[in-house]
Amino acid sequence: MGHWEGVSEFVAVAERGGFTPAAAQLGISTAQVSRQVTALEKRLATKLFYRTTRKVSLTEAGEVYYQHCRQVLEGLEEAERALSQLQSTPRGKLKITAPTTYGETRITPLLNDFMRRYPELEVHCRLTNQKVDLIEAGFDLAIRLGQLEDSSMMARRLATRTLHVCASPEYLAAHGVPETPEDLAAQHCLQGNLGYWRFAEAGVERNVRVSGPLHCNSGQVLLDAALKGLGVVQLPDYYVQDCLANGTLTELLVPYQPPEEGIWALYPHNRHLSPKVRVLVDFLSEQLS
């Protein structure tokens, strides 16, 4: 503990330019500040201040020591802020955005549970498949799926998703079962925003162009079309897992399934992350993983 004695008093004198104003800042007597600084100089065997009747100024050694002590004190202040935030209860307004279907089926039910746990929160949630600018729109947190673009945002992986190619038994009975991604050229492929589907073979990822009678940016619409026998679809697990389990859809091209993709919490780069965002990200990670 002796290494810390006098440091706060020294920094206060350096920043306030005198022993009396430093004492006022620290709420102690001028004599106590003087004693602590003198003891510090004695322990360091170094003169830290030039003292005159008019002013106090740092010596060269004092200036070097001050710069290092200031960093140490800032670190302590940072630690205290972090501890204070850890002990704080999430409260106030929280703005979050998430993709529409994943938000409806996975995120918003968890948000509702989170609000029950922290009733002082006011949550504003926007579900959209558009990439929202978090800074411009004032969002605290975004849920993003798949591969992240280069960004100045901070990201934390919450869970993963897997893409599945599937079709209804009725469709396969009428059109045959594709054995390789190339066989999709002869199939009716139900497409989303992209004109290709993702696959992997021998550890190498590749995109395969597909075509078909339906183009739609809604996974729910594509799922409904597949269930009604209109074609083959590639969708994430949270759309099709129940249908695969109950047999209303049949999974295809399993050996060519691409690697898992991340489901991410994205938030503005801020080293003083607010307690409500940090606690929510921890909660979502625990529930989704």
Side-chain angles (χ1 to χ4, degrees):
M1 291 299 294
H3 290 292
W4 295 102
E5 289 179 0
V7 171
S8 296
E9 291 82 355
F10 162 71
V11 170
V13 173
E15 294 181 341
R16 300 304 298 270
F19 289 81
T20 300
Q25 175 184 315
L26 296 172
I28 58 179
S29 69
T30 303
Q32 185 175 351
V33 172
S34 180
R35 282 196 301 270
Q36 292 281 38
V37 171
T38 300
L40 180 62
E41 288 179 317
K42 184 177 180 180
R43 180 169 60 80
L44 296 173
T46 304
K47 191 177 183 64
L48 299 174
F49 291 109
Y50 295 116
R51 299 169 173 84
T52 68
T53 54
R54 293 187 180 181
K55 71 173 189 175
V56 175
S57 59
L58 287 165
T59 64
E60 181 179 3
E63 181 65 39
V64 172
Y65 192 63
Y66 166 75
Q67 295 299 331
H68 287 278
C69 288
R70 181 68 266 174
Q71 293 178 19
V72 171
L73 291 180
E74 287 175 352
L76 289 172
E77 292 166 2
E78 174 80 11
E80 290 178 0
R81 279 194 295 268
L83 183 60
S84 176
Q85 290 180 353
L86 185 65
Q87 296 170 337
S88 298
T89 299
R91 57 172 55 87
K93 184 183 293 187
L94 181 63
K95 290 189 68 177
I96 180 173
T97 180
T100 304
T101 300
Y102 191 78
E104 288 176 342
T105 59
R106 296 292 194 275
I107 298 300
T108 51
L110 294 177
L111 274 180
N112 293 336
D113 292 338
F114 192 71
M115 290 179 66
R116 291 183 64 187
R117 183 176 297 186
Y118 300 107
E120 295 181 60
L121 273 176
E122 176 187 340
V123 175
H124 293 238
C125 182
R126 178 181 174 189
L127 300 182
T128 175
N129 292 329
Q130 301 297 316
K131 294 294 178 64
V132 179
D133 186 318
L134 271 64
I135 301 295
E136 182 178 338
F139 281 97
D140 298 298
L141 182 69
I143 304 300
R144 296 279 167 84
L145 310 177
Q147 298 176 338
L148 292 178
E149 301 173 356
D150 290 339
S151 172
S152 60
M153 299 289 108
M154 297 294 290
R156 177 172 169 184
R157 186 166 172 152
L158 301 176
T160 59
R161 70 173 185 175
T162 305
L163 294 174
H164 298 269
V165 176
C166 45
S168 70
E170 293 77 13
Y171 172 86
L172 295 174
H175 297 86
V177 178
E179 300 293 340
T180 69
E182 286 69 29
D183 293 343
L184 293 173
Q187 301 291 334
H188 298 167
C189 295
L190 311 172
Q191 299 176 66
N193 290 325
L194 304 176
Y196 61 84
W197 289 354
R198 294 179 54 221
F199 294 97
E201 186 172 5
V204 178
E205 294 184 54
R206 61 191 180 102
N207 299 327
V208 174
R209 283 294 202 186
V210 294
S211 61
L214 177 62
H215 298 250
C216 186
N217 65 349
S218 167
Q220 285 295 124
V221 171
L222 297 177
L223 174 61
D224 183 70
L227 288 170
K228 292 176 178 175
L230 294 181
V232 183
V233 71
Q234 185 180 57
L235 287 171
D237 43 20
Y238 48 85
Y239 282 100
V240 301
Q241 57 191 11
D242 290 342
C243 300
L244 294 175
N246 63 29
T248 52
L249 289 179
T250 300
E251 187 164 12
L252 308 169
L253 305 177
V254 174
Y256 302 94
Q257 190 173 64
E260 292 180 335
E261 297 179 324
I263 296 171
W264 307 89
L266 209 65
Y267 47 89
H269 190 287
N270 186 345
R271 63 194 184 105
H272 303 308
L273 188 61
S274 67
K276 58 189 175 185
V277 176
R278 177 182 46 75
V279 175
L280 175 58
V281 171
D282 289 345
F283 177 79
L284 292 176
S285 178
E286 177 185 342
Q287 298 297 318
L288 293 172
S289 63

